[in-house]
Amino acid sequence: MDAGEALLLLLLIPGAAMLLTILVPSRHANVVRWIALIATTATLIDSIWIFAVYDFAEGGYQFTLQYPWIENIGFLGENGISLHLAVDGIAAPMVLLNGLVGFAGVLVSWKITHRVKDFFILFMALFTGVYGVYIGQDLFFWFFAYELAVLPMYLLIVVWGSTNKEYGAMKLTMVLVGGSVLIFIGIFAVFAEAGAGTFDMAVLRDIEFDRGFANTFFPFFMIGCGILAGLFPFHTWSPDGHVAAPTAVSMLHAGVLMKLGAFGIIRLGMEILPAGTDFWMPVLLVLGGVAAVYGAISAINQTDLKFVIGYSSVSHMGFVLMGLGTMNNIGVNGAVLQMFSHGVMTALFFAMVGGLYDQAHTRDIRVFGGLVRKMPLFVIFFGIAGLTSLGLPGLSGFVAEFHIFVGTIDTFPLFAALGILSAALTAIYVLRLMGRAALGPFNPRWENLKELSRWEIAAAIVLIAPIIAMGVWPDPFIDRIAPTVAELPKIDQIGGLFTLSSLTGR
Amino acid sequence: MDLEYQLIIPEFVMAGLAVVIIAAALAFRNVDQKWFGYATAIGLAIIAVITAVAYWDTNDDFGGVLAVDHFTVLFRVFFLGIAFFTVMAAVQFAGERLKNHAEFYGLIVFATLGMMLLAASRELLTAYLSLELLSFSFYILVGFNKLNPFSNEGSLKYMLLGAFSSALMLYGISLIYGVTGSTTYSAIGPDVVEGTRSIAGQLASFAGGSGGVDPDGARPGLLIGLVLITAGLGFKVSAVPFHQWTPDAYQGAPLPITAFLSAGGKAAAFAFFLRLFSEAFLPAAAEWVWFVGILAAVTMIVGNLMALQQTNFKRLMAYSSISQVGYLLVGIVALDAANITQSQDAASALVLHLIGYVTTNIAVFAAIIAFYNRTGRDDIVDLRGLAERQPFLAFAIAAALFSLAGMPLFAGFATKFIIFQAAFNNGFLWLGAIGVTASFVSLYYYLMVIKQMYLYEPEGSDRARFHVSRPLAGALVVLVAGVLFIGLYPTPLFDVIHSSTAGLFEQAAAISAAAVGN
């Protein structure tokens, strides 16, 4: 399969939308919104096409596209820095995820009225940056896109956010950019050590780095990217940032941006410096396990809905890091599945909370009650997100977490127990939330609440569809992820090419 | 000696332009003053275009003291461009807030002439005189707003410290002359190589020890000379700990001059720095690389930390420019005597970062000048609500500040990436790591400015939207476009730079080839 232009479109469409939006006078807010909607629809279709057409029987990197940018000058040799795009079985679901969340994000942002134009310009920049990370195959552009995805967050939060937004925005930006300092140093070191004169990941993957070098620089990637994935103890930016951010930004942030971190650990750490995994991956597993439990316990104590979800994100991203840390095919499979599953689920969560907050102007769980009377659809959608979060079979969360626990049992049984414990803790806060706010006695203060707007309903449906699809029929995902994961260096194979169907068939 | 005067016609024309502008003011007293500005700008533009076209393929030198090669031509055009944009940005400002316009523009042209000569110099005394021409013009320009006490204070401080640093540099030059017997780069180069030896050896010879140290190789004069010249240059580029004059001079000077000082003054000093250290001192790299490295590290750290506490925008930009000097010094440190290819990479990376930095900095200042023209204020909190009042200015400032912080889409990302990579390639892992960390710290204070513009509503009595004058807005659009272009596609610029830096290392390449031959 060789249609790399489809990948280029993922960058060009939102990029063009951004430029077009700049040219539209700011009084035409609706034109701006429609440009964003059309652009994200187009990228969603493109993403679905890429996901569907990715040839999993063949595996490996497909849709390869490479344009030289700077080459054969100074220390840069052949393809020194190039625009190199490709997706593998791990990136394909992530591309789909970004398409879904971005589309839903525009839908729920329809109600924004303050500086609409600026909002969508920054939104599109963020959206493009995320795509760039998922499909980039050149360290320069990878890092370029990574920073591009982080940078607009500051303004998006500080201008359109709520609740302690100046603090949240600055903390988030500084912590994340601090993490990228580590990545930056790691990239330089890898380039200098490789001496191949190129930032092309395809070339760097084939170079065998010295074990000592890999052990030294693996943590630069692991911690640098891990910070974005909510790695304990660098996770505190995440709840603060989520609470402060406007709805669509929380969605994109928890939905796709945090996944960039885990994805970066795979791309930079596991693929380029596999020699460092022996030493560091157990560390990642332990930290992930701690984050899973710690996040869940913290979530139980929160009274602000967004804080609950923010800490639950930390907890679920802990599962992802645990899965990666197992370094066996089932665990890593599960981690990638969880990245997708948590992405759509948490986006749904934030979309719903945003819908409620815009009417109620509070997110304090204690004052809500019996919302089901006024907002039945809200409760249904919120409930689906909650049940996915606690890992109900039939929804995507179960598939992902099951893989992770199976993988962890094989390597670190104790931590598998810890993970399962934190899944149980998730049930506590999710069910308590549902019971208190959604059901429970009706609080007459909310007599005037209205049902979600049609834009929010549309967004919710877009996000629920993949949750259920992956829950009942995970094969399309596993078919793509599993062979690619099996190809990663240093991955232990347990149970052959593991798929859920192979397990049930046995 | 056969002197080919046609090589330095642009310099003669520049001197002529300055004199004509000043004389014209005497002849045309009733003309609107802004036309002197536009005439200067047009003159600079014409000279830039003609220089670029006529001299690009020249590779010659004027009596062994002024080189006219790619490097010189690149910097000639670069300086003319800086002066052009400064004048464009200054016209309205000067018309409203300064007197004696013709002298103002004439001195800008003289300063530019000094820069052009400095980049071309291949002889220490010529370089020194060019530097003084540049500095004297700046001493006057900084104090040009003579009714403003800050302007006077800045000018006086700058002049006293500048004179002190010139003395240091002259003393260094005399020591180098004493050791090598020459002041031309081409004669110093082969001669310093014999004095090259390890620091330990130097120290041992200082201590008077003879234990196993070859006394013939010990030339402490060379080391002291290098240190003194570096210190003198450190004053001129405002590297820590020689930076004390910078914030006061930046704050006191009229805004366009602050822009010119931070862009042109730095660029010229670095052109001199680069040519001197790559043509003359490269073979002795082992002797200076360590203290330049420390200078770079300290400059990056202190510049950024001091910037964190500033409340005045000009002072903030002063400390920000100090930290940028640190990044540029990394390029000097990455020069490697043993590896000419690496050295040229480092030099190209330095020039690329310099051009990116200068473009960005002029963009910031052009935007701030436009803001100042309207409000007459330059504290950071005065920028509140700028995004509401003048979205384009806010965008330009935000883009330029993000570029200075090294964020993607903008020039700073690509150029910093390349300059730090050059340091890593030469094994200066720690220096590159400090650089990356320092530029991370810088993001904080740039964000504080951006926050003022975007987060808050306008305050005070003047909250209306306002217009920026056409020439200034046009210049600003070009500069912001330049910042984006360098950030997204620096390839053509990098190609040009790389071809221009090749000439700097011909001599070093010959010396190392000879060393291998022996």
Side-chain angles (χ1 to χ4, degrees):
Chain A
M1 194 59 229
D2 202 22
E5 288 74 16
L7 292 184
L8 196 59
L9 277 182
L10 291 181
L11 306 178
L12 290 183
I13 293 172
M18 189 165 72
L19 289 181
L20 204 60
T21 308
I22 290 175
L23 299 178
V24 177
S26 49
R27 60 181 181 279
H28 297 303
N30 258 330
V31 178
V32 170
R33 292 185 182 115
W34 278 105
I35 291 174
L37 186 62
I38 291 167
T40 45
T41 311
T43 49
L44 177 62
I45 292 169
D46 196 16
S47 306
I48 293 173
W49 188 79
I50 289 166
F51 182 77
V53 173
Y54 178 83
D55 186 350
F56 52 86
E58 192 187 320
Y61 283 96
Q62 297 178 16
F63 300 95
T64 309
L65 179 86
Q66 191 162 22
Y67 295 121
W69 191 66
I70 304 184
E71 64 175 357
N72 294 328
I73 179 167
F75 50 76
L76 297 170
E78 184 84 17
N79 281 327
I81 297 176
S82 58
L83 187 65
H84 185 178
L85 308 175
V87 286
D88 61 0
I90 297 174
M94 292 296 115
V95 166
L96 178 62
L97 171 67
N98 193 30
L100 289 165
V101 176
F103 178 71
V106 171
L107 289 178
V108 303
S109 304
W110 212 263
K111 60 198 169 193
I112 285 182
T113 50
H114 179 59
R115 292 204 212 157
V116 177
K117 174 178 164 176
D118 300 359
F119 178 84
F120 280 105
I121 291 172
L122 292 166
F123 185 91
M124 283 297 159
L126 197 164
F127 187 59
T128 319
V130 174
Y131 268 132
V133 173
Y134 287 141
I135 64 182
Q137 284 292 307
D138 181 277
L139 284 176
F140 177 88
F141 277 108
W142 192 91
F143 190 68
F144 185 101
Y146 187 89
E147 294 269 287
L148 186 61
V150 171
L151 193 59
M153 294 299 288
Y154 179 77
L155 285 172
L156 282 170
I157 295 177
V158 105
V159 179
W160 292 273
S162 58
T163 321
N164 214 355
K165 58 188 179 180
E166 285 176 55
Y167 171 74
M170 188 57 94
K171 183 169 178 181
L172 178 144
T173 313
M174 292 317 282
V175 174
L176 294 188
V177 177
S180 61
V181 165
L182 295 178
I183 304 175
F184 215 173
I185 295 172
I187 288 175
F188 284 148
V190 162
F191 177 88
E193 175 79 8
T198 176
F199 286 98
D200 194 348
M201 289 189 204
V203 177
L204 294 170
R205 274 198 294 268
D206 291 337
I207 292 174
E208 231 173 85
F209 288 95
D210 174 58
R211 194 180 180 77
F213 174 83
N215 276 341
T216 312
F217 283 97
F218 192 85
F220 282 77
F221 291 143
M222 186 182 91
I223 298 174
C225 296
I227 287 175
L228 186 50
L231 177 72
F232 181 87
F234 306 107
H235 63 281
T236 58
W237 60 270
S238 154
D240 286 330
H242 286 146
V243 170
T247 305
V249 176
S250 294
M251 285 168 65
L252 264 179
H253 193 218
V256 290
L257 215 67
M258 285 179 86
K259 275 80 210 168
L260 296 187
F263 187 78
I265 295 179
I266 299 176
R267 269 282 182 280
L268 304 184
M270 290 161 69
E271 289 194 344
I272 293 179
L273 294 175
T277 53
D278 290 344
F279 185 80
W280 286 104
M281 276 318 204
V283 177
L284 187 65
L285 188 131
V286 171
L287 291 176
V290 172
V293 178
Y294 176 86
I297 293 174
S298 306
I300 291 175
N301 287 317
Q302 301 304 321
T303 53
D304 184 317
L305 262 176
K306 267 191 160 182
F307 264 120
V308 174
I309 303 167
Y311 277 108
S312 112
S313 283
V314 172
S315 170
H316 283 88
M317 287 309 289
F319 288 147
V320 172
L321 299 178
M322 259 173 84
L324 293 179
T326 61
M327 283 305 281
N328 62 45
N329 57 341
I330 299 177
V332 178
N333 246 346
V336 180
L337 287 169
Q338 174 77 341
M339 279 156 72
F340 185 90
S341 157
H342 177 248
V344 279
M345 172 199 93
T346 202
L348 180 60
F349 255 139
F350 279 119
M352 291 304 106
V353 173
L356 179 63
Y357 177 72
D358 287 336
Q359 294 188 54
H361 302 290
T362 178
R363 292 186 300 254
D364 194 331
I365 300 167
R366 292 166 297 187
V367 304
F368 289 112
L371 287 178
V372 67
R373 273 208 223 167
K374 287 286 164 192
M375 307 173 76
L377 275 178
F378 165 84
V379 172
I380 292 171
F381 296 152
F382 196 81
I384 291 176
L387 295 174
T388 315
S389 164
L390 60 79
L392 186 78
L395 298 171
S396 60
F398 171 73
V399 180
E401 286 171 23
F402 189 76
H403 276 75
I404 294 174
F405 297 147
V406 170
T408 319
I409 282 174
D410 191 68
T411 41
F412 293 89
L414 185 67
F415 272 87
L418 207 59
I420 292 165
L421 170 70
S422 78
L425 293 175
T426 309
I428 296 178
Y429 63 78
V430 168
L431 294 178
R432 204 181 54 131
L433 193 66
M434 292 297 296
R436 173 92 56 93
L439 309 170
F442 181 67
N443 182 344
R445 180 176 161 189
W446 308 116
E447 199 56 57
N448 295 325
L449 281 190
K450 292 191 193 66
E451 186 54 281
L452 300 169
S453 76
R454 56 202 160 117
W455 300 107
E456 285 157 347
I457 294 170
I461 290 169
V462 168
L463 294 170
I464 288 171
I467 291 180
I468 294 175
M470 190 167 148
V472 297
W473 192 44
D475 283 12
F477 293 92
I478 297 173
D479 285 342
R480 283 164 179 77
I481 298 167
T484 308
V485 167
E487 292 285 304
L488 289 175
K490 294 232 171 206
I491 288 285
D492 293 329
Q493 304 293 336
I494 54 174
L497 264 186
F498 179 84
T499 63
L500 201 66
S501 43
S502 75
L503 191 82
T504 47
R506 199 168 291 164
Chain B
M1 195 187 296
D2 197 17
L3 294 180
E4 299 176 70
Y5 284 100
Q6 78 275 13
L7 288 174
I8 51 170
I9 289 171
E11 278 78 5
F12 284 121
V13 177
M14 283 293 281
L17 177 65
V19 173
V20 166
I21 292 289
I22 294 172
L26 301 174
F28 305 103
R29 285 174 186 281
N30 298 325
V31 174
D32 186 346
Q33 300 279 326
K34 73 181 178 193
W35 294 112
F36 295 120
Y38 291 131
T40 313
I42 291 165
L44 291 166
I46 292 172
I47 298 171
V49 171
I50 292 178
T51 308
V53 174
Y55 289 92
W56 183 242
D57 288 326
T58 315
N59 190 4
D60 207 341
D61 67 58
F62 179 79
V65 296
L66 291 173
V68 182
D69 51 12
H70 277 193
F71 188 77
T72 303
V73 178
L74 177 72
F75 271 96
R76 270 179 180 170
V77 175
F78 181 40
F79 294 141
L80 288 165
I82 294 173
F84 173 80
F85 282 106
T86 308
V87 171
M88 290 301 282
V91 171
Q92 192 191 349
F93 182 95
E96 290 168 5
R97 297 173 197 271
L98 296 177
K99 290 177 178 162
N100 308 328
H101 301 81
E103 285 88 337
F104 180 74
Y105 298 119
L107 282 166
I108 289 180
V109 175
F110 272 128
T112 314
L113 173 61
M115 295 174 196
M116 288 163 69
L117 287 168
L118 193 57
S121 299
R122 299 189 68 191
E123 198 262 347
L124 283 170
L125 286 174
T126 313
Y128 172 74
L129 288 173
S130 316
L131 191 59
E132 289 301 279
L133 173 60
L134 169 63
S135 302
F136 275 79
S137 309
F138 269 128
Y139 299 153
I140 306 171
L141 284 170
V142 168
F144 211 82
N145 199 349
K146 65 181 174 189
L147 297 178
N148 179 345
F150 285 112
S151 188
N152 289 319
E153 183 200 339
S155 175
L156 187 65
K157 224 172 188 173
Y158 183 27
M159 188 176 72
L160 290 175
L161 285 173
F164 180 60
S165 70
S166 298
L168 281 183
M169 194 182 297
L170 264 186
Y171 189 41
I173 290 173
S174 71
L175 282 171
I176 295 289
Y177 176 69
V179 174
T180 63
S182 174
T183 54
T184 57
Y185 297 179
S186 54
I188 294 173
D191 213 29
V192 291
V193 73
E194 290 162 24
T196 303
R197 47 185 297 149
S198 68
I199 297 307
Q202 292 282 5
L203 292 177
S205 66
F206 273 134
S210 57
V213 178
D214 173 16
D216 295 333
R219 286 202 265 176
L222 181 67
L223 183 63
I224 299 174
L226 285 168
V227 169
L228 287 173
I229 288 182
T230 310
L233 269 169
F235 272 107
K236 299 293 181 195
V237 299
S238 58
V240 177
F242 313 113
H243 66 287
Q244 307 290 359
W245 58 271
T246 316
D248 294 315
Y250 276 38
Q251 191 181 12
L255 259 171
I257 298 308
T258 314
F260 196 41
L261 190 59
S262 74
K266 292 236 155 78
F270 267 99
F272 171 40
F273 212 143
L274 189 57
R275 196 188 271 278
L276 178 65
F277 276 65
S278 51
E279 286 195 2
F281 295 155
L282 185 60
E287 304 200 8
W288 49 259
V289 78
W290 59 279
F291 61 74
V292 181
I294 293 170
L295 202 63
V298 175
T299 306
M300 288 188 286
I301 294 168
V302 174
N304 279 309
L305 291 183
M306 296 294 284
L308 287 175
Q309 335 167 1
Q310 302 306 318
T311 54
N312 179 280
F313 194 78
K314 284 156 100 178
R315 287 186 89 84
L316 175 81
M317 290 310 293
Y319 283 107
S320 135
S321 81
I322 290 171
S323 64
Q324 296 288 334
V325 166
Y327 309 140
L328 289 163
L329 285 171
V330 170
I332 301 275
V333 178
L335 295 174
D336 185 348
N339 184 345
I340 300 302
T341 323
Q342 157 70 25
S343 295
Q344 200 201 334
D345 291 347
S348 304
L350 193 160
V351 177
L352 182 66
H353 186 59
L354 186 62
I355 292 179
Y357 155 70
V358 163
T359 314
T360 310
N361 229 33
I362 300 183
V364 177
F365 276 108
I368 287 294
I369 289 169
F371 176 74
Y372 192 84
N373 282 341
R374 165 77 185 197
T375 61
R377 308 183 67 93
D378 58 9
D379 278 340
I380 293 173
V381 288
D382 296 326
L383 290 168
R384 283 202 167 180
L386 188 60
E388 295 282 345
R389 297 181 63 192
Q390 184 30 270
F392 174 63
L393 278 189
F395 168 74
I397 295 175
L401 293 182
F402 276 138
S403 171
L404 289 176
M407 289 294 137
L409 289 184
F410 309 113
F413 180 80
T415 61
K416 268 188 196 169
F417 195 93
I418 290 172
I419 199 166
F420 289 144
Q421 185 65 61
F424 269 74
N425 282 355
N426 201 20
F428 281 94
L429 202 79
W430 61 277
L431 196 58
I434 289 178
V436 178
T437 314
S439 79
F440 154 63
V441 172
S442 74
L443 180 63
Y444 177 79
Y445 55 80
Y446 295 128
L447 280 180
M448 295 308 274
V449 178
I450 290 167
K451 188 172 93 177
Q452 298 289 344
M453 295 190 299
Y454 280 90
L455 176 58
Y456 301 112
E457 297 299 314
E459 282 179 2
S461 50
D462 183 14
R463 299 179 199 175
R465 280 189 163 234
F466 61 92
H467 283 288
V468 179
S469 72
R470 285 244 174 79
L472 185 49
L476 197 51
V477 168
V478 174
L479 288 165
V480 172
V483 170
L484 283 167
F485 183 74
I486 299 175
L488 290 172
Y489 193 59
T491 316
L493 182 64
F494 198 39
D495 280 334
V496 169
I497 291 169
H498 205 64
S499 74
S500 74
T501 50
L504 297 179
F505 299 97
E506 279 168 10
Q507 185 175 332
I511 292 171
S512 64
V516 171
N518 291 339

